[in-house]
Amino acid sequence: MTQAPGGGTAGRWAKRDASVVWHGFTQMSSYLDDAPVVVERAEGHELIDVDGNRYLDAISSLWVNTVGHRVPELDEALRRQLDLVAHSTMLGNTNRVVVEFAEALASVVPVDRPHVLFASDGAAAVEQALRIAFQLWANRGVEGRTSYLAFGGAYHGDTVGALSVGAGGFGTEVFDPLRFPVLRAPGFDDPSCLDVAAAMVAEHAHELAAVVVEPLVQGAAGMQMAGPEGFCELAEVCRRHEVLLICDEVATGFGRTGTLFASEQCGLRPDLLCLGKGITGGYLPLSAAVAAGHVFDAFLGPDPSPRTLHHGHSYGGNALAAAVALRHLQLLEERRVLANVGVRSAQLARLLSAGVAPLPGVGDIRVKGLMVGIDLDPPGPAMRWGRRVCAAAVRRGVLLRPLGDVVVLMPPLTVTAGEIERIVAVLGQAIAEVTAS
Ligand SMILES: Cc1ncc(COP(=O)(O)O)c(C=O)c1O
């Protein structure tokens, strides 16, 4: 067992932190009581705190890490780019390594004649896709196509546009007056959600700019999953009624679900594809909205022109991030990472079903690739089982963070068989400790 976080040097660093840092989605008045892990360095799949305690990063640093920390090839790509240039603007100009990465990305995304608009965070990529979809109709001179269809349980990020297409919750209700209205299909916890969404698209097509969906897995909804079959029908209805399809693969992209993109398993070729998180293997902030050729073409015209996309971010297409992202894409192939996801996913499902599902207090368990949600079923409200189980796992050296009473497992895509065993064993002990108390 590792030393409890919060004591020793970590306790002092946490206090320094709390006096100057404001952590998102964290109640700062009790932040220190929850013994935050104070990371100093990392090796492979483990984070190491300032006291030398090691934590298996079983949430991939909030779903961004893919092939581990301090990967020699990625470190090298970053160092090499540092000797060239760290950043130059992509507004009206370009950068060699960004072009190279865009070409590599264009060759693997399930998007026809792709054009890549870079940003830094997932929410910004979604925001860009929403803006592109909205303006496309204005550029085409079509009136009334100003709304979006999104799903219950959806999460697309925290900017106002992304929050609007998201289903809310997570304590964000205070912002509800800021959110623009959207058509809302049921969430993935309803097996008919895709059929209902398809029917809603057919009925409301004349007012819809786009449909926004997370293919296969709604991550932040607690790893709610929909089978691949229903997505084809939704895409077909969108195509028939000329409603744009935006696939948000910020969480599912870059191998998480067993294919490079979840859209591939669903037979989808979206008009707009949102990418982020794993795009740099978890090294640097980079995101992208990838637009199909026919979407891109709708913005061509004279200069100056209202057809131009007047949207862009200072750090969109950062050269350091692009250099790492380019090497990372090659590494996924070289290390046969997708094959590992398949094998480790099957092992994880097997071990969870044998060792965790039978435990008292455990409900449904959902696994897709290396995205896992384990429902805890506390006997009463406000028992914070999710938080307490994850805290008990952290004390045992496995870093977890829940979504309410859903324990999330998101190990790195290169996770080993031994590490999967360790995660499941620790989770079982943590659940037993909390449910017994
Ligand atoms: C599906 C999806 N879209 C968008 C986002 C937002 O990404 P970011 O936190 O990088 O803004 C997330 C984050 O969890 C996500 O899961």
Side-chain angles (χ1 to χ4, degrees):
M1 189 182 292
T2 57
Q3 183 182 325
T9 317
R12 287 197 295 280
W13 276 104
K15 281 201 192 87
R16 285 173 65 172
D17 169 295
S19 67
V20 285
V21 180
W22 189 344
H23 296 266
F25 286 107
T26 302
Q27 177 44 254
M28 293 305 294
S29 71
S30 55
Y31 166 68
L32 288 177
D33 303 340
D34 292 331
V37 174
V38 183
V39 174
E40 185 176 66
R41 59 204 168 88
E43 272 175 24
H45 299 155
E46 288 190 328
L47 297 167
I48 304 167
D49 77 6
V50 284
D51 289 310
N53 296 315
R54 288 171 172 267
Y55 305 89
L56 181 54
D57 189 0
I59 46 167
S60 294
S61 292
L62 217 65
W63 317 357
V64 299
N65 196 274
T66 57
V67 290
H69 300 273
R70 292 181 57 206
V71 180
E73 294 91 334
L74 299 184
D75 292 357
E76 175 56 24
L78 184 52
R79 288 196 185 101
R80 229 180 314 118
Q81 186 58 38
L82 267 174
D83 285 336
L84 294 172
V85 60
H87 179 74
S88 66
T89 184
M90 293 294 287
L91 304 186
N93 295 288
T94 196
N95 185 301
R96 177 180 165 160
V97 75
V98 181
V99 176
E100 287 173 330
F101 175 54
E103 285 174 348
L105 189 61
S107 71
V108 294
V109 285
V111 176
D112 298 323
R113 286 202 295 124
H115 282 78
V116 187
L117 180 64
F118 288 107
S120 302
D121 288 295
V126 170
E127 204 75 32
Q128 292 186 153
L130 296 176
R131 293 275 289 272
I132 292 169
F134 188 95
Q135 188 176 338
L136 174 134
W137 295 106
N139 285 5
R140 284 188 182 166
V142 177
E143 287 185 6
R145 294 260 197 168
T146 55
S147 193
Y148 303 90
L149 183 139
F151 286 76
Y155 178 74
H156 299 288
D158 289 334
T159 56
V160 171
L163 203 61
S164 300
V165 286
F170 299 110
T172 62
E173 294 75 11
V174 65
F175 300 121
D176 283 355
L178 285 179
R179 296 167 66 208
F180 54 74
V182 303
L183 279 175
R184 186 73 62 190
F188 286 10
D189 54 347
D190 178 339
S192 69
C193 64
L194 292 167
D195 293 341
V196 174
M200 288 171 78
V201 171
E203 189 185 342
H204 295 278
H206 57 285
E207 58 191 275
L208 283 175
V211 168
V212 190
V213 68
E214 296 157 83
L216 285 186
V217 186
Q218 290 185 317
M223 303 297 149
Q224 294 295 337
M225 301 181 183
E229 320 79 30
F231 288 93
C232 270
E233 171 62 9
L234 176 63
E236 175 52 25
V237 173
C238 286
R239 197 196 54 75
R240 210 179 313 134
H241 294 276
E242 288 193 83
V243 175
L244 297 182
L245 181 64
I246 302 175
C247 284
D248 178 354
E249 293 229 32
V250 169
T252 53
F254 298 95
R256 257 298 142 199
T257 67
T259 45
L260 199 51
F261 300 103
S263 295
E264 297 166 38
Q265 291 176 56
C266 305
L268 297 176
R269 296 195 70 78
D271 302 294
L272 286 151
L273 177 67
C274 303
L275 303 173
K277 288 195 186 279
I279 191 169
T280 60
Y283 262 55
L284 287 159
L286 181 71
S287 67
V290 185
H294 70 97
V295 173
F296 176 79
D297 290 346
F299 289 73
L300 301 178
D303 185 25
S305 162
R307 292 174 77 90
T308 306
L309 179 70
H310 291 289
H311 185 113
H313 296 280
S314 306
Y315 279 101
N318 175 260
L320 294 177
V324 174
L326 176 61
R327 190 68 189 96
H328 172 247
L329 212 46
Q330 297 160 349
L331 218 50
L332 290 178
E333 183 100 19
E334 285 167 27
R335 293 197 178 178
R336 296 182 37 77
V337 171
L338 298 182
N340 192 61
V341 173
V343 177
R344 297 283 79 88
S345 172
Q347 179 199 7
L348 188 49
R350 223 170 29 244
L351 292 182
L352 287 171
S353 137
V356 172
L359 296 175
V362 174
D364 193 27
I365 297 182
R366 296 171 292 283
V367 180
K368 184 77 212 171
L370 288 174
M371 299 180 89
V372 179
I374 298 150
D375 290 347
L376 299 176
D377 193 11
M383 296 183 73
R384 299 167 82 236
W385 269 16
R387 285 277 206 94
R388 288 166 55 203
V389 164
C390 290
V394 174
R395 286 196 297 276
R396 290 169 169 83
V398 172
L399 187 64
L400 295 178
R401 183 176 164 85
L403 286 160
D405 279 330
V406 180
V407 175
V408 170
L409 303 183
M410 280 272 223
L413 307 185
T414 44
V415 67
T416 65
E419 288 166 342
I420 291 282
E421 283 170 16
R422 184 172 152 205
I423 292 169
V424 176
V426 162
L427 178 62
Q429 292 161 14
I431 291 173
E433 177 189 310
V434 171
T435 54
S437 63

